[in-house]
Amino acid sequence: MQEPRYLSKEEIEEIIFSKLSQDEIDKCKKDHLLVKDRDIIYMGGTAPGSVHFKTYDGREILDCTSQAWVYNLGHNNPDISYAISRQSQITTHAWSYFLTPIRIKFTNKIAEIVPGQLKGGRVSVNNSGGGWALECAMRLAMVNNKKGDRFIVFRRGYHGSNLVMMGASQRLPMRFPAFGAEHWIRTFYPYCYRCPWNYKEGLGGERDKSCNLECLEMVRQDIEMYTTGTPIGCIIEPIQGPGGQIPAPVDFLMGLKEICKNNNILLIYDEAQTGFGRTGKMFATEWYEATYGKDISPDIMTLTKAAAAGVPIGITVGKPKLRSLTEFEEHSTFSSPSLAMAACLVNIEILQKYKIPESAAKLGEKITGYLKDLSEDIPEIGDIRGPGLFIGVEFIKDQKTREPHNDLLNRMIHTAWKNGIFFGEQMQILSTAGYYIQNTLKIKPPLVMNDEDADMICILFEKSLKEALKSI
């Protein structure tokens, strides 16, 4: 470990770790935060690699969000911390024009582990996350097909909140419009539990056995007959996260892949939330193939969130035969993030060596099994969807009408917090008529949790839900 040059260790520790005063906290909240509604002060994990975190007021919370679905190896994992520390002794930044040893290792490893037709492909990296990774994917599509500049996107999708990508996402609660809205063609995403063709047995993320995939035909017509301009890319979450933890049926994805191929459209998967072990496989694309025996792999994939187990990163992978970008077309100042690439490499090694995705699959089955049993006694639990530790629980007011129960979700989140557990929630699906839908709870804890943690999630879920129901 290098010794400090300009400041003493004590001075550096004082700058970073000195105890907060109430005056500092109040000044920050009142005068200096651009977003003022931030009351909870997160103090890190209760231990390195823990599934619990601490708050400033001394509470310990069981984290079922992995802090925005990022900490797949637990809070401040010690292996990741060590990787960052060691890499920082060599380089923390290099101009993207240069190759570095860590970038060579990282690029080769990503090309090695990606599924299907992506294997052996071309890799781009950034330190900004999924929005920039998707922009890179769009640039790649544009240099490979210069006949158009339109992109297919899907209802309830979420692909980032910058001014461009918010146009690709479901309408967000913003006070300003997206830029470039004319470049998006929005179509239908299959939501089997709420099928508009009135199939009623689409449960647990599976489509109704009598379903004829009318939704796929609708998408085909939207793409081939009713577009304005020429679509060259199709961006989809194979399993929607923010929109409500909704898996697309495998036959829908296979059909979409064929439609894109027939229309010279590059299929782009946004695996921001499903990548790096959460579904029980390294990628959701792999999970589909393992479960159904079908290769749904896309032309381009984007990754972020848990890719570096807590360090900001975005990754774009294109299949080998695609035309490459130029240096200027890919460039941003921080598009060779050494610390993130080191963290990602170590993350991958741990996931593979210790079979953590496989463990996530088993623990996910345990939790969803418990919840399904619980739903027999609590009719407000409408649907329970996985796979792995990518769990969604949809609350309803009535089993027959399946009316969304927004209020129950809101009360459940707050009651659970009081009980020492932090659940996530789907984004709001906003209506122009003034109402919204937000009724799906997310259970997405760190993948390194154990059986005792899974048991506690189940116990606190049941306790919190029953208390929330009593309060309504």
Side-chain angles (χ1 to χ4, degrees), residues 2 39 126 128 190 223 228 231 240 260 280 286 328 340 380 399 414 443:
Q2 296 176 9
D39 294 324
N126 70 76
S128 299
I223 291 174
T228 54
Q240 283 190 341
C260 288
E286 280 187 311
F328 202 77
E380 287 82 1
Q399 284 283 338
H414 287 86
I443 304 176

mmCIF file of all heavy atoms in Angstrom, residues 2 39 126 128 190 223 228 231 240 260 280 286 328 340 380 399 414 443:
data_model
loop_
_atom_site.group_PDB
_atom_site.id
_atom_site.type_symbol
_atom_site.label_atom_id
_atom_site.label_comp_id
_atom_site.label_asym_id
_atom_site.label_seq_id
_atom_site.Cartn_x
_atom_site.Cartn_y
_atom_site.Cartn_z
ATOM 1 N N GLN A 2 0.608 2.148 -0.925
ATOM 2 C CA GLN A 2 1.401 3.371 -1.004
ATOM 3 C C GLN A 2 1.125 4.276 0.193
ATOM 4 O O GLN A 2 0.016 4.301 0.738
ATOM 5 C CB GLN A 2 1.068 4.117 -2.298
ATOM 6 C CG GLN A 2 1.445 3.371 -3.570
ATOM 7 C CD GLN A 2 1.012 4.115 -4.814
ATOM 8 O OE1 GLN A 2 0.577 5.253 -4.744
ATOM 9 N NE2 GLN A 2 1.125 3.462 -5.962
ATOM 10 N N ASP A 39 -33.998 12.036 3.899
ATOM 11 C CA ASP A 39 -33.965 12.088 5.355
ATOM 12 C C ASP A 39 -33.116 10.993 5.990
ATOM 13 O O ASP A 39 -32.555 11.182 7.070
ATOM 14 C CB ASP A 39 -35.396 12.000 5.908
ATOM 15 C CG ASP A 39 -36.222 13.224 5.528
ATOM 16 O OD1 ASP A 39 -35.645 14.322 5.491
ATOM 17 O OD2 ASP A 39 -37.424 13.061 5.259
ATOM 18 N N ASN A 126 -18.141 2.055 -19.677
ATOM 19 C CA ASN A 126 -18.197 3.431 -19.192
ATOM 20 C C ASN A 126 -18.376 3.409 -17.678
ATOM 21 O O ASN A 126 -18.632 2.359 -17.093
ATOM 22 C CB ASN A 126 -19.341 4.206 -19.861
ATOM 23 C CG ASN A 126 -20.714 3.732 -19.388
ATOM 24 O OD1 ASN A 126 -21.147 4.051 -18.287
ATOM 25 N ND2 ASN A 126 -21.408 2.945 -20.214
ATOM 26 N N SER A 128 -20.631 5.504 -16.227
ATOM 27 C CA SER A 128 -21.868 6.247 -16.000
ATOM 28 C C SER A 128 -23.072 5.354 -15.793
ATOM 29 O O SER A 128 -24.065 5.785 -15.208
ATOM 30 C CB SER A 128 -22.131 7.185 -17.187
ATOM 31 O OG SER A 128 -21.080 8.112 -17.334
ATOM 32 N N PRO A 190 -45.630 -7.894 -23.192
ATOM 33 C CA PRO A 190 -46.537 -8.915 -22.650
ATOM 34 C C PRO A 190 -46.563 -8.915 -21.126
ATOM 35 O O PRO A 190 -45.526 -9.005 -20.485
ATOM 36 C CB PRO A 190 -45.951 -10.227 -23.182
ATOM 37 C CG PRO A 190 -44.506 -9.927 -23.431
ATOM 38 C CD PRO A 190 -44.455 -8.488 -23.858
ATOM 39 N N ILE A 223 -44.359 -2.848 -35.837
ATOM 40 C CA ILE A 223 -43.026 -2.697 -36.417
ATOM 41 C C ILE A 223 -43.069 -2.657 -37.938
ATOM 42 O O ILE A 223 -42.414 -1.822 -38.573
ATOM 43 C CB ILE A 223 -42.109 -3.849 -35.946
ATOM 44 C CG1 ILE A 223 -41.813 -3.706 -34.450
ATOM 45 C CG2 ILE A 223 -40.809 -3.883 -36.741
ATOM 46 C CD1 ILE A 223 -41.037 -4.864 -33.847
ATOM 47 N N THR A 228 -43.521 5.227 -38.095
ATOM 48 C CA THR A 228 -43.140 6.432 -38.825
ATOM 49 C C THR A 228 -41.623 6.450 -38.861
ATOM 50 O O THR A 228 -40.965 6.466 -37.830
ATOM 51 C CB THR A 228 -43.659 7.694 -38.109
ATOM 52 O OG1 THR A 228 -43.207 7.686 -36.753
ATOM 53 C CG2 THR A 228 -45.173 7.725 -38.125
ATOM 54 N N PRO A 231 -37.277 1.777 -38.367
ATOM 55 C CA PRO A 231 -36.633 1.315 -37.133
ATOM 56 C C PRO A 231 -35.391 0.488 -37.448
ATOM 57 O O PRO A 231 -35.398 -0.347 -38.351
ATOM 58 C CB PRO A 231 -37.707 0.462 -36.458
ATOM 59 C CG PRO A 231 -38.602 0.005 -37.570
ATOM 60 C CD PRO A 231 -38.558 1.071 -38.616
ATOM 61 N N GLN A 240 -38.856 -7.326 -17.319
ATOM 62 C CA GLN A 240 -38.951 -5.939 -16.868
ATOM 63 C C GLN A 240 -38.741 -5.850 -15.361
ATOM 64 O O GLN A 240 -39.276 -6.660 -14.603
ATOM 65 C CB GLN A 240 -40.310 -5.340 -17.240
ATOM 66 C CG GLN A 240 -40.416 -4.968 -18.701
ATOM 67 C CD GLN A 240 -41.670 -4.154 -19.007
ATOM 68 O OE1 GLN A 240 -42.644 -4.145 -18.236
ATOM 69 N NE2 GLN A 240 -41.670 -3.469 -20.130
ATOM 70 N N CYS A 260 -37.317 -9.048 -35.723
ATOM 71 C CA CYS A 260 -36.195 -8.117 -35.882
ATOM 72 C C CYS A 260 -35.269 -8.569 -37.008
ATOM 73 O O CYS A 260 -34.830 -7.760 -37.837
ATOM 74 C CB CYS A 260 -35.421 -8.004 -34.569
ATOM 75 S SG CYS A 260 -36.291 -7.085 -33.280
ATOM 76 N N GLY A 280 -30.535 -16.423 -11.200
ATOM 77 C CA GLY A 280 -30.120 -17.805 -10.993
ATOM 78 C C GLY A 280 -29.142 -18.265 -12.057
ATOM 79 O O GLY A 280 -28.575 -19.357 -11.974
ATOM 80 N N GLU A 286 -29.374 -16.323 -20.408
ATOM 81 C CA GLU A 286 -28.965 -17.696 -20.087
ATOM 82 C C GLU A 286 -30.072 -18.432 -19.343
ATOM 83 O O GLU A 286 -30.263 -19.638 -19.545
ATOM 84 C CB GLU A 286 -27.712 -17.676 -19.225
ATOM 85 C CG GLU A 286 -26.427 -17.460 -19.974
ATOM 86 C CD GLU A 286 -25.231 -17.627 -19.045
ATOM 87 O OE1 GLU A 286 -25.232 -17.027 -17.955
ATOM 88 O OE2 GLU A 286 -24.304 -18.354 -19.426
ATOM 89 N N PHE A 328 -13.800 8.194 -31.771
ATOM 90 C CA PHE A 328 -14.601 9.358 -31.400
ATOM 91 C C PHE A 328 -16.060 8.975 -31.148
ATOM 92 O O PHE A 328 -16.726 9.562 -30.283
ATOM 93 C CB PHE A 328 -14.520 10.433 -32.490
ATOM 94 C CG PHE A 328 -14.843 11.805 -31.986
ATOM 95 C CD1 PHE A 328 -13.920 12.533 -31.244
ATOM 96 C CD2 PHE A 328 -16.092 12.362 -32.214
ATOM 97 C CE1 PHE A 328 -14.230 13.793 -30.758
ATOM 98 C CE2 PHE A 328 -16.406 13.629 -31.725
ATOM 99 C CZ PHE A 328 -15.468 14.342 -30.998
ATOM 100 N N ALA A 340 -13.546 0.258 -11.752
ATOM 101 C CA ALA A 340 -14.767 -0.501 -12.036
ATOM 102 C C ALA A 340 -14.454 -1.804 -12.755
ATOM 103 O O ALA A 340 -15.055 -2.855 -12.466
ATOM 104 C CB ALA A 340 -15.713 0.354 -12.875
ATOM 105 N N GLU A 380 -55.054 -10.707 -1.002
ATOM 106 C CA GLU A 380 -54.479 -9.473 -1.561
ATOM 107 C C GLU A 380 -53.149 -9.726 -2.278
ATOM 108 O O GLU A 380 -52.646 -8.845 -2.970
ATOM 109 C CB GLU A 380 -54.271 -8.433 -0.459
ATOM 110 C CG GLU A 380 -55.558 -7.784 0.052
ATOM 111 C CD GLU A 380 -56.284 -8.631 1.094
ATOM 112 O OE1 GLU A 380 -55.787 -9.726 1.446
ATOM 113 O OE2 GLU A 380 -57.364 -8.206 1.562
ATOM 114 N N GLN A 399 -59.541 -10.635 -6.120
ATOM 115 C CA GLN A 399 -59.004 -11.725 -6.929
ATOM 116 C C GLN A 399 -59.672 -11.804 -8.302
ATOM 117 O O GLN A 399 -59.030 -12.202 -9.281
ATOM 118 C CB GLN A 399 -59.190 -13.060 -6.190
ATOM 119 C CG GLN A 399 -58.214 -13.293 -5.059
ATOM 120 C CD GLN A 399 -56.852 -13.700 -5.570
ATOM 121 O OE1 GLN A 399 -56.702 -14.189 -6.680
ATOM 122 N NE2 GLN A 399 -55.827 -13.495 -4.741
ATOM 123 N N HIS A 414 -43.634 0.997 4.215
ATOM 124 C CA HIS A 414 -43.379 1.764 5.442
ATOM 125 C C HIS A 414 -43.436 0.874 6.691
ATOM 126 O O HIS A 414 -42.633 1.044 7.615
ATOM 127 C CB HIS A 414 -44.384 2.911 5.557
ATOM 128 C CG HIS A 414 -44.119 4.032 4.597
ATOM 129 N ND1 HIS A 414 -44.600 4.045 3.310
ATOM 130 C CD2 HIS A 414 -43.393 5.169 4.731
ATOM 131 C CE1 HIS A 414 -44.202 5.134 2.690
ATOM 132 N NE2 HIS A 414 -43.464 5.836 3.521
ATOM 133 N N ILE A 443 -38.450 -7.917 -4.137
ATOM 134 C CA ILE A 443 -37.561 -8.586 -3.185
ATOM 135 C C ILE A 443 -36.300 -8.970 -3.957
ATOM 136 O O ILE A 443 -36.284 -9.949 -4.701
ATOM 137 C CB ILE A 443 -38.227 -9.832 -2.566
ATOM 138 C CG1 ILE A 443 -39.561 -9.461 -1.900
ATOM 139 C CG2 ILE A 443 -37.284 -10.496 -1.566
ATOM 140 C CD1 ILE A 443 -40.335 -10.648 -1.347
#
